[in-house]
Amino acid sequence: MALARGYAATDASKPLQPFTFERRAPNDDDIVIDIKFSGICHSDIHQVRNEWGNSIYPMVPGHEIVGIVSAVGKNVTKFKPGDKAGVGCFVNSCTACASRDLDREQYMPGLVPTYNGYEADGKTPTYGGYSDSIVVKEDYALSIPDNLDFAATAPLLCAGITLYSPLKHWQAGPGKKVAVVGMGGLGHMGVKLGAALGAEVTVLSQSLSKKEDGLKLGATHYYATKDPETFKALAGSFDLILCTVSAEIDWNAYLSLLKPDGAMVLLGIPENPVPVHAFGLVGGRRSLAGSMIGSIKETQEMLDFCGEHNIVSEIEMIRMDQVNEAYERVLKSDVRYRFVIDTATI
Ligand code: NAP
Ligand code: ZN
């Protein structure tokens, strides 16, 4: 066991504070990573504040982790000390049950989240990336392309794969019209990745304040959803709508923007349910679906794709002690476009 330093939430109403804890002892198939950078995902805020009702405290959040491998177990083949490595939203999954499926293991039972969960033994808590080190099975660690800015790759581990996976699954590409709702941490990655895959991307943001950025990142069109004219102008326009909004919005209004056979995919996970009218779906054979991160295999594919296309996140680097202030800014949509913690400041 080794001591790690980080920041933790001790209950739903308190700010994050410094926290020292023990990392589990590495096994033969584990690697130890010196964490260098850790992204702040809106899911961290939902969980710190127990908005999904499943929080375990103390909680060290963080599932957009990149760092340098400092030690490897004797059975490790993929990494050596000194390599760059990343860790995303889960650190283990079921490897025995009948429904094991390595191309979509994120949907199988037995998934071990990077934090706010327990290791496969059911009792060792998992702690995330707002810390200086992590121990992880090599099969759940990702290789980071060397040509990419290191800090700006951290958000690819959640925001990147969460957009890449539905873009691929719903076959976004040339000739497809894709709308990204919400130009935040997830949304701006949707713009970059959708454009790189060849789709025509439209951003649907609350206002036009980030329009210039959206067009620069690869969007062809940019509309403000607070303007009711937007919903008239774009009725029946899109093959695919990726909704990254973290709050309750009128999904019926967005469903009306789909072409026949179009799909709206929920990525944002608001606290409360949102009612949907059946007519919005049946009158056009439209689908309302959801999607959660991606498998390890698909995450590596996404990272390699980003390496080839030189895609990283737009980031604002912060010190560890600025994390509580950063949370408030995320809640106000005041982030361009992902906060990344420099863990050297812990
Ligand atoms: P974020 O950076 O806060 O972005 C969310 C964006 O939604 C904001 O930038 C804002 O964009 C828009 N928005 C916020 N409140 C709104 C409101 N009341 N009405 C309309 N639009 C609003 O958050 P994120 O890190 O991208 O995460 C977004 C959501 O995805 C969270 O719920 C998170 O838990 C979830 N998530 C899901 C997965 C998954 O696997 N499905 C993975 C990661 C995160 P504009 O300013 O452009 O309007
Ligand atoms: Zn996340």
Side-chain angles (χ1 to χ4, degrees), residues 18 76 133 176 186 211 219 292 325:
V76 168
S133 68
K176 289 285 171 72
L186 264 54
K211 179 173 178 182
M292 188 175 81
E325 190 190 318

Side-chain angles (χ1 to χ4, degrees), residues 191-206:
V191 173
K192 289 191 175 201
L193 291 164
L197 288 165
E200 182 184 300
V201 179
T202 299
V203 176
L204 302 176
S205 179
Q206 293 168 95

Side-chain angles (χ1 to χ4, degrees), residues 128-190:
Y130 298 6
S131 61
D132 58 7
S133 68
I134 190 166
V135 178
V136 63
K137 276 189 185 201
E138 71 160 332
D139 288 348
Y140 294 84
L142 288 306
S143 298
I144 307 293
D146 252 326
N147 59 311
L148 298 178
D149 179 273
F150 198 26
T153 56
L156 301 180
L157 275 304
C158 174
I161 184 58
T162 299
L163 274 292
Y164 182 83
S165 185
L167 284 164
K168 293 291 280 191
H169 185 78
W170 275 274
Q171 295 165 352
K176 289 285 171 72
K177 295 192 179 206
V178 176
V180 175
V181 188
M183 172 84 176
L186 264 54
H188 90 290
M189 289 311 308

Side-chain angles (χ1 to χ4, degrees), residues 261-297:
D261 285 329
M264 177 156 109
V265 181
L266 303 181
L267 304 172
I269 310 173
E271 195 173 350
N272 297 307
V274 180
V276 170
H277 295 298
F279 271 125
L281 297 169
V282 299
R285 199 164 55 187
R286 298 171 173 133
S287 313
L288 178 61
S291 181
M292 188 175 81
I293 46 174
S295 68
I296 292 293
K297 189 174 163 209

